[in-house]
Amino acid sequence: MEANLQLPPILFWDIDPSKLDYDAKARFIIGRVVMYGSLADWTAILAYYGPDRVRDEMLQERYLDKKTLNYLSFYFEVPKTEFRCYTLQQSIPQHWNY
């Protein structure tokens, strides 16, 4: 099943992409693709994992940048407040918030 998912190795610059388990590390892989991947990578993970699994994994992700969070909230029609990263972001006070 892994042969169906072809992602650029540059997305996984800090690990050996050949040793990556696509099912066990789904949240890690999906997170990298949504924050750093291309539109083709996005459609590839949607086809491989399915929209429900992508949504469920991203709801539990600890960190997403603001653009990615807004996009996923809009795409899946889920309020930002339901994402774990949004809740964690609000509970950590900013030191210098200009």
Side-chain angles (χ1 to χ4, degrees), residues 39-57:
L39 184 58
D41 301 335
W42 168 249
T43 56
I45 62 164
L46 282 176
Y48 184 81
Y49 292 112
D52 292 334
R53 178 136 188 223
V54 171
R55 182 194 65 234
D56 294 343
E57 294 291 349

Side-chain angles (χ1 to χ4, degrees), residues 12-43:
F12 309 104
W13 65 88
D14 55 344
I15 61 167
D16 184 5
S18 64
K19 296 180 181 177
L20 198 56
D21 184 354
Y22 286 93
D23 292 319
K25 301 294 183 184
R27 186 176 306 157
F28 172 75
I29 294 167
I30 296 168
R32 285 287 176 99
V33 169
V34 299
M35 288 204 301
Y36 305 115
S38 66
L39 184 58
D41 301 335
W42 168 249
T43 56

